[in-house]
């Protein structure tokens, strides 16, 4: 095995470990906000970041099938976190948007998660945190060249 292959294997192991850890942390934080699943958080974040959009666009950005988004929407609309209305540009299509209640619920969840991470990263200086974020965004862009790095999901699916 070459030195590069060994380094990439080490990176792979670290990424799998990080992914498991982040999913576990995200699950605990999502459970704290009653009724939301990690996948709900990812959908709500898409609506905050990209505004009103068709369900297919949300599915594309999340890398899931339209039926997955459709199932999620049932509970999010019923809870008043998302609205669904006819797209004025095409009366056959729907547009999804996040409600103020959805924004507040998402903000509460994200604030809790940020506070949790801030506590865990207490020994890290701001420059180290910023550099880590930059490297992770760069890695995300290299691994997912069709997805803008701004769509990096810290609490996603």
């Amino acid at each position: 095995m070459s030195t590069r292959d060994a380094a990439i294997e080490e990176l792979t192991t670290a990424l799998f470990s990080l992914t498991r850890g982040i999913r576990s942390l995200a699950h605990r934080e999502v459970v704290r906000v009653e009724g939301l699943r990690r996948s709900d958080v990812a959908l709500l974040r898409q609506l905050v970041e990209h505004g009103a959009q068709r369900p297919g666009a949300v599915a594309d950005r999340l890398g899931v099938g339209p039926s997955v988004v459709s199932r999620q929407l049932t509970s999010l609309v019923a809870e008043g976190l998302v609205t669904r209305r006819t797209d004025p540009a095409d009366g056959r299509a729907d547009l999804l948007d996040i409600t103020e209640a959805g924004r507040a619920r998402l903000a509460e969840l994200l604030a809790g998660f940020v506070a949790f991470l801030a506590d865990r990263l207490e020994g890290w200086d701001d420059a180290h945190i910023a550099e880590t974020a930059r490297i992770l965004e760069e890695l995300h862009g290299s691994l997912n060249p069709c997805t803008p790095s701004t769509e990096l999901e810290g609490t996603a699916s």
Side-chain angles (χ1 to χ4, degrees):
M1 178 181 299
S2 72
T3 304
R4 181 174 175 80
D5 287 345
I8 291 174
E9 185 174 318
E10 187 176 340
L11 175 62
T12 300
T13 300
L15 287 173
F16 286 147
S17 179
L18 177 64
T19 301
R20 280 191 309 275
I22 291 294
R23 284 179 188 241
S24 176
L25 292 173
H27 177 71
R28 286 196 303 259
E29 286 300 308
V30 170
V31 167
R32 184 183 64 75
V33 178
E34 185 178 320
L36 287 180
R37 299 171 303 230
R38 285 191 325 254
S39 56
D40 295 336
V41 172
L43 191 149
L44 293 173
R45 284 188 59 147
Q46 289 302 312
L47 294 175
V48 166
E49 292 173 11
H50 302 284
Q53 55 195 292
R54 292 181 179 183
V58 173
D60 288 346
R61 284 193 165 97
L62 294 175
V64 298
S67 63
V68 172
V69 169
S70 182
R71 283 191 300 273
Q72 280 182 270
L73 286 174
T74 302
S75 63
L76 293 174
V77 169
E79 290 181 53
L81 304 178
V82 172
T83 60
R84 181 188 289 234
R85 62 185 162 85
T86 302
D87 184 346
D90 181 353
R92 300 168 296 167
D94 287 338
L95 276 183
L96 309 175
D97 206 355
I98 189 168
T99 65
E100 286 307 313
R103 286 180 191 281
R105 195 107 159 250
L106 183 62
E108 176 189 352
L109 180 133
L110 293 177
F113 196 69
V114 167
F116 175 84
L117 287 179
D119 184 54
R120 292 289 176 103
L121 300 175
E122 188 175 313
W124 290 40
D125 65 39
D126 293 351
H128 191 67
I129 292 170
E131 179 64 7
T132 301
R134 186 196 65 72
I135 289 169
L136 289 173
E137 287 179 10
E138 183 180 342
L139 177 62
H140 182 262
S142 293
L143 297 176
N144 299 293
C146 295
T147 305
S149 62
T150 57
E151 294 180 22
L152 183 63
E153 297 174 348
T155 61
S157 42

